[in-house]
Amino acid sequence: MTDHVLVTIEDHILHLTLNRPEKKNAITRDMYRVLGNALSSAETNPEIRAILLQAEGDAFTAGNDLADFGAVVSGTLTREEMTFQLFLGALARADKPLVAAVQGLAVGVGVTLLLHCDLVYAAENARLTTPFVNLGLVPEAASSLLLQARIGYARAYAMFALGEAVDGRAAAAMGLVTAALPAADVRQRARAAAQQLAAQPIGALRATKQLMRDPAALQAIMDRENEVFIARLQSAETAEALRAFAERRPPDFRNLKD
Ligand code: COA
């Protein structure tokens, strides 16, 4: 168990709060496990009618913990011990409404998980990036399909391949998030939306989401992405990117072969 994710139920809403602000809420294996298990059990808990995902501190999340990626690269962590698939699978299967409140930075999975949320409120000055290629990696969480479906191929490619950032206001304008608000209002707005959803007829909400999303198709894309992602994690490109991050210098990929 970790206190880096706070799990509470209030007013029929499951609150999942990332609580590792000193590391910009980078998500560790333990955190993925807690998030995945909480999401899965919410589906069968009649007390829960909506789920709210939020974060403490000035960042939503800096994405996957890079130390865990480093452990895969060095061989101290096996692919079977990675738990992000547990969380991503639970996101794909979630039938109950998911609401997210995003302030500050949202990096990598911090953006791709939003593609599985039904309502997303972002701070106008939030900064959303998916720098998978910068790390020698590829998109995950079915984002190879979902991001381009949401914002079009050209913008999705620029986010993936160039690591281009999108602020909250632009994200709302291109339909990547539901709305952009002053940072101070984001959590309150997301909570109000979750309360509104919790008061709606849950059978109709569930049926609507089932019509709008196909969990089996999403899982099939994730499985394909995972294969490539895990292989890329063991590449010389990722090793260089992680070394550069640890040494606080820009990576140099020029002498590396594919
Ligand atoms: N994994 C592990 N630790 C992380 C992290 C991550 N993804 N992102 C940030 N941290 C840690 C930093 O190492 C630092 O720890 P320290 O204080 O012990 O040195 C702390 O969080 C604060 O980060 P810092 O880099 O000092 O803050 P910043 O405001 O200058 O930059 C980021 C914030 C998010 C832009 C920068 O940390 C970053 O690029 N992180 C990596 C993001 C990433 O590539 N995620 C994976 C995407 S797939």
Side-chain angles (χ1 to χ4, degrees):
M1 206 53 191
T2 170
D3 58 5
H4 289 152
V5 180
L6 307 177
V7 182
T8 56
I9 302 173
E10 286 166 44
D11 299 336
H12 300 285
I13 299 164
L14 173 68
H15 290 64
L16 298 176
T17 308
L18 303 178
N19 184 36
R20 199 185 176 213
E22 70 286 0
K23 295 285 184 188
K24 306 282 176 193
N25 292 316
I27 308 177
T28 60
R29 283 189 299 146
D30 281 347
M31 291 165 74
Y32 281 124
R33 189 176 302 113
V34 172
L35 289 165
N37 289 341
L39 275 180
S40 294
S41 40
E43 289 300 313
T44 52
N45 181 345
E47 199 193 332
I48 296 171
R49 299 174 66 85
I51 298 154
L52 176 58
L53 192 55
Q54 58 187 6
E56 294 297 344
D58 63 1
F60 180 60
T61 170
N64 204 103
D65 189 288
L66 291 181
D68 282 354
F69 280 170
V72 176
V73 173
S74 65
T76 51
L77 188 67
T78 64
R79 58 183 291 173
E80 289 74 27
E81 290 168 317
M82 305 277 290
T83 50
F84 67 87
Q85 296 96 329
L86 181 82
F87 170 58
L88 299 181
L91 272 181
R93 285 190 304 277
D95 268 351
K96 291 189 178 171
L98 270 165
V99 181
V102 180
Q103 79 280 10
L105 286 166
V107 186
V109 71
V111 173
T112 60
L113 73 81
L114 301 177
L115 301 168
H116 298 269
C117 294
D118 304 297
L119 295 172
V120 179
Y121 298 94
E124 287 163 346
N125 62 357
R127 199 177 145 80
L128 281 58
T129 61
T130 51
F132 296 110
V133 168
N134 299 50
L135 289 167
L137 297 171
V138 293
E140 33 69 317
S143 64
S144 55
L145 179 83
L146 292 178
L147 188 62
Q148 57 170 313
R150 196 73 72 87
I151 65 173
Y153 183 94
R155 287 186 293 218
Y157 187 83
M159 286 188 75
F160 287 140
L162 300 175
E164 264 186 15
V166 170
D167 68 22
R169 218 186 278 262
M174 62 176 79
L176 178 50
V177 302
T178 310
L181 310 162
D185 299 339
V186 166
R187 274 179 68 160
Q188 200 187 355
R189 180 70 189 92
R191 189 185 165 91
Q195 282 168 337
Q196 231 180 318
L197 286 167
Q200 290 288 76
I202 196 161
L205 277 179
R206 231 190 237 283
T208 298
K209 194 160 169 177
Q210 283 166 353
L211 288 169
M212 291 177 77
R213 290 166 54 87
D214 180 351
L218 292 173
Q219 187 61 60
I221 298 164
M222 286 184 191
D223 290 346
R224 199 153 55 90
E225 290 170 346
N226 280 346
E227 281 300 314
V228 185
F229 193 95
I230 298 282
R232 296 295 320 163
L233 258 184
Q234 285 142 347
S235 69
E237 291 173 352
T238 296
E240 165 57 11
L242 294 179
R243 261 194 315 271
F245 180 71
E247 293 166 10
R248 291 190 173 264
R249 61 165 173 82
D252 182 358
F253 299 116
R254 283 168 304 181
N255 294 323
L256 299 179
K257 296 214 172 60
D258 189 7

